[in-house]
Amino acid sequence: MIKVLIYEDNPQLREGLTMLIDGSDGFRVVAAYKNCNNAVDEVAAFNPDVILMDIDMPGINGIEGLKNIRTKNAEVKILMLTVFDDNKNVFESIKNGANGYILKKTAPARLLEYITEAASGGAPMSANIATQVLKMFSAMNNQKGEDYNLSEREKQVLQFLVNGYSYKMIAAEMIIAIDTVRSHIKKIYEKLHVNSKSEAVAKAFKDKIV
């Protein structure tokens, strides 16, 4: 059972998301709020697996809410659910620890797939968002950064992380055990001086490691 916490100020959409998720096998909405002003306490109280976080909300916006949650909880999966697909919001979300970035017009069945993917360690993005992210980073004129002494195997694992693969998917693609994947990722985090998958992906893009 994947427990979902929703932050969305539009009452119709909030109710629609709640009905969709609660009405689907394997999912349960533990709470739904119109703002994230008390998000840190609410996340602690309900202990969700995945948070759907709108960006444009009154009071504390979604990106600030994301930052606040990450000061206390690095484990919960946070998907930014938004009408915005501009570079600034995408980059700020990734930089501050979002696990995925999807548009509100996403089809219901696909949304459930994204939630499942995030819960299992993936980093889902709507296709046009992913394309935009790649364009945004490729347009940067930074010289290729150092490779942080990553081995070819570690670079391969990092590339899979950038592509949004879960640990299980990486293990299947590379024909190795999940524990081996975890070992590679632990070393990658140490070499990049990061603490999460989203930070590793952001650094990989920023420094053009892969």
Side-chain angles (χ1 to χ4, degrees):
M1 183 69 70
I2 298 174
K3 297 182 294 181
V4 182
L5 178 58
I6 299 171
Y7 290 101
E8 167 58 58
D9 68 318
N10 182 306
Q12 289 80 22
L13 182 55
R14 189 169 65 247
E15 184 177 344
L17 287 169
T18 300
M19 291 176 64
L20 166 68
I21 295 167
D22 263 343
S24 303
D25 288 340
F27 300 87
R28 179 165 66 91
V29 174
V30 292
Y33 294 99
K34 64 182 179 180
N35 62 54
C36 58
N37 294 356
N38 301 306
V40 173
D41 291 338
E42 289 154 1
V43 171
F46 290 102
N47 192 29
D49 300 303
V50 178
I51 296 172
L52 291 183
M53 176 72 78
D54 183 24
I55 284 185
D56 189 24
M57 289 184 287
I60 297 174
N61 67 31
I63 291 176
E64 290 303 315
L66 165 67
K67 291 179 185 177
N68 291 342
I69 292 169
R70 283 293 181 237
T71 63
K72 299 292 185 182
N73 189 321
E75 300 302 319
V76 66
K77 312 303 181 185
I78 303 177
L79 296 181
M80 309 308 286
L81 182 65
T82 179
V83 294
F84 297 112
D85 61 355
D86 61 277
N87 290 349
K88 183 176 183 294
N89 281 314
V90 173
F91 185 72
E92 285 297 313
S93 297
I94 294 172
K95 186 175 72 173
N96 287 291
N99 299 95
Y101 195 106
I102 53 183
L103 296 179
K104 290 183 180 180
K105 63 183 180 182
T106 299
R110 191 74 182 104
L111 177 61
L112 294 173
E113 289 176 11
Y114 283 146
I115 293 171
T116 302
E117 188 179 338
S120 64
M125 285 190 186
S126 299
N128 55 333
I129 295 289
T131 301
Q132 203 163 333
V133 167
L134 292 174
K135 286 181 179 177
M136 175 174 63
F137 284 106
S138 66
M140 292 180 176
N141 294 320
N142 296 344
Q143 294 296 315
K144 183 174 178 65
E146 59 176 308
D147 64 6
Y148 294 93
N149 295 316
L150 295 180
S151 68
E152 287 304 313
R153 203 69 163 161
E154 288 163 355
K155 287 180 183 178
Q156 190 178 0
V157 172
L158 182 57
Q159 182 66 67
F160 280 125
L161 290 180
V162 168
N163 292 343
Y165 282 50
S166 66
Y167 290 16
K168 186 176 180 182
M169 293 164 67
I170 295 173
E173 286 288 335
M174 297 180 69
I175 318 177
I176 56 178
I178 289 183
D179 283 344
T180 306
V181 173
R182 290 195 181 100
S183 177
H184 283 312
I185 290 173
K186 182 181 178 184
K187 289 176 183 174
I188 290 168
Y189 287 2
E190 288 172 355
K191 290 181 179 181
L192 297 186
H193 305 293
V194 298
N195 298 302
S196 71
K197 181 182 295 185
S198 56
E199 285 181 304
V201 170
K203 196 157 194 174
F205 277 128
K206 181 176 176 290
D207 293 349
K208 299 185 178 180
I209 301 168
V210 295

